[in-house]
Amino acid sequence: MTVVTGYRTSGPIPKFTNYHIWKTLMILDIKNSVSRKKLSQKLDIGEGSTRTILNILKNQEYIQVARNGVTLTKNGSHFKKTVQFDVTYTLIPEITIDAYDCAIRIPFAAKKITYGYEERDVAIKAGASGATTLICKNGELIFPDSNYSVSSAVTKTLREKFAINNDDVIIIGTANTPEKAECGAVTAALNVINNFNINRNLNDIVLLNNSTTELTSLAFAVYNLIGGYPVCAKSRDNLGIRIENGIIIDNAYTGEILEETIEKNIIVRRIAVTGPYKGAKVISVPINVKGKTIAAIGVANVIGIDESNLLTTIFKS
């Protein structure tokens, strides 16, 4: 799940990626259980996002959740081995650009590497400052698409960390924190192996009993799409949020039109008679998963529109 960033909020915005799912698998064990709170702390994300990750893995039958915590199933343990690679923190200033480095060895993956900038771009999108990709060819560590070898000092550092064989790939993520360096390197590595097949659909993002934070990314997507109009959203069983001017101004919100949308599973278009948007035209639409209304998202026309505006048609009653 990619979450809109760059906004100030008065409540937490859930933010997790395949990196956090991967790390969850690496933390969990088939024998020793981990509590959800402890897992959330290790992942450095909110408990709502952690709960969503666990729902995803539970749906895949990779974990089992009990009173004493979470453990991997046999299926989960098997899947974990397919996405497990060597990871270590290190420092290689000769070929990296920031204060912290995290290196990963992917066995026998050299044929999957083209130029190396692909991994760099993926790492940057994940929050790192950059990434350097190397492949092992004829016993030497070289830059992809070239015969240029790294220095003996770099080679020594990496060989002290890993048992490197021909056709292995080394990805070194770099960032201003160790966590971002790891996230960048792991995300790039997952992109290389391309077998991280986790089913993540709308049902994973917004569940029947999820907290309001699970709707935040969807609400911001709608806000960015329409631009300038207040957006409100709530799940069936929890209070919701209001977004105005690019920020969340209320994270415990509900309204009569949202409630009617959820209760009747219909699109509602009318002028609000109560609440902060009293007198404004509002449209609210239900979100359905597997035949159930699980949430609603609404837009309020507080700006005033003319016939040339794209939103005119949806505000017509």
Side-chain angles (χ1 to χ4, degrees), residues 1-312:
M1 177 173 59
T2 302
V3 178
V4 179
T5 59
Y7 296 96
R8 295 176 292 110
T9 69
S10 59
I13 294 180
K15 183 177 181 181
F16 71 87
T17 64
N18 278 347
Y19 162 73
H20 296 98
I21 300 178
W22 169 87
K23 192 162 186 177
T24 299
L25 289 167
M26 297 305 114
I27 292 170
L28 296 178
D29 188 86
I30 200 168
K31 295 180 181 179
N32 300 314
S33 62
V34 179
S35 71
R36 190 171 69 192
K37 184 175 182 180
K38 184 75 171 179
L39 184 61
S40 177
Q41 292 171 347
K42 287 179 176 288
L43 295 175
D44 194 28
I45 58 177
E47 289 194 43
S49 292
T50 302
R51 181 176 60 249
T52 304
I53 291 174
L54 294 180
N55 282 326
I56 293 170
L57 296 177
K58 187 176 180 180
N59 288 340
Q60 303 292 311
E61 299 183 347
Y62 290 155
I63 64 169
Q64 54 186 7
V65 182
R67 286 186 176 183
N68 61 338
V70 185
T71 55
L72 287 179
T73 63
K74 289 184 178 179
N75 286 341
S77 180
H78 175 75
F79 181 71
K80 176 179 178 178
K81 292 175 182 177
T82 69
V83 293
Q84 195 164 10
F85 27 69
D86 298 331
V87 182
T88 186
Y89 290 110
T90 185
L91 191 61
I92 312 179
E94 297 95 332
I95 56 173
T96 60
I97 60 174
D98 219 325
Y100 297 93
D101 299 330
C102 178
I104 289 178
R105 181 186 76 95
I106 312 173
F108 311 116
K111 290 183 179 179
K112 297 184 178 182
I113 302 300
T114 306
Y115 299 106
Y117 64 76
E118 299 91 345
E119 292 71 50
R120 176 203 64 198
D121 291 349
V122 169
I124 290 173
K125 288 179 181 178
S129 302
T132 302
T133 303
L134 304 172
I135 61 175
C136 185
K137 184 177 180 181
N138 298 323
E140 293 188 347
L141 290 174
I142 66 173
F143 293 97
D145 197 41
S146 77
N147 291 316
Y148 184 75
S149 302
V150 298
S151 69
S152 58
V154 171
T155 299
K156 180 181 179 182
T157 298
L158 290 171
R159 287 196 178 277
E160 287 175 350
K161 300 289 185 179
F162 303 126
I164 301 173
N165 302 302
N166 280 335
D167 293 327
D168 284 358
V169 172
I170 306 294
I171 298 177
I172 308 161
T174 187
N176 59 1
T177 69
E179 295 78 14
K180 289 180 181 179
E182 180 186 85
C183 182
V186 169
T187 303
L190 290 173
N191 189 66
V192 169
I193 64 175
N194 195 32
N195 71 340
F196 197 57
N197 297 317
I198 295 286
N199 180 26
R200 297 170 62 186
N201 52 39
L202 183 61
N203 194 32
D204 299 322
I205 300 172
V206 191
L207 297 175
L208 286 172
N209 60 351
N210 268 357
S211 67
T212 58
T213 56
E214 303 303 325
L215 276 173
T216 303
S217 59
L218 292 179
F220 268 116
V222 172
Y223 178 84
N224 285 331
L225 179 66
I226 62 175
Y229 296 89
V231 171
C232 46
K234 78 174 296 290
S235 62
R236 189 193 69 180
D237 299 325
N238 293 279
L239 294 174
I241 60 170
R242 284 199 296 137
I243 300 172
E244 293 184 16
N245 300 317
I247 65 172
I248 296 174
I249 62 172
D250 188 347
N251 59 9
Y253 176 73
T254 190
E256 59 175 333
I257 296 178
L258 288 179
E259 296 289 356
E260 181 180 350
T261 298
I262 294 172
E263 180 184 356
K264 297 181 179 179
N265 188 26
I266 59 172
I267 298 174
V268 178
R269 294 182 178 90
R270 72 162 182 264
I271 295 175
V273 296
T274 62
Y277 304 119
K278 181 178 179 180
K281 290 182 178 180
V282 174
I283 178 171
S284 175
V285 298
I287 298 174
N288 295 290
V289 172
K290 296 182 179 179
K292 296 181 179 180
T293 303
I294 61 171
I297 293 183
V299 178
N301 175 25
V302 297
I303 297 175
I305 52 179
D306 56 38
E307 292 300 318
S308 66
N309 193 296
L310 181 63
L311 287 179
T312 299

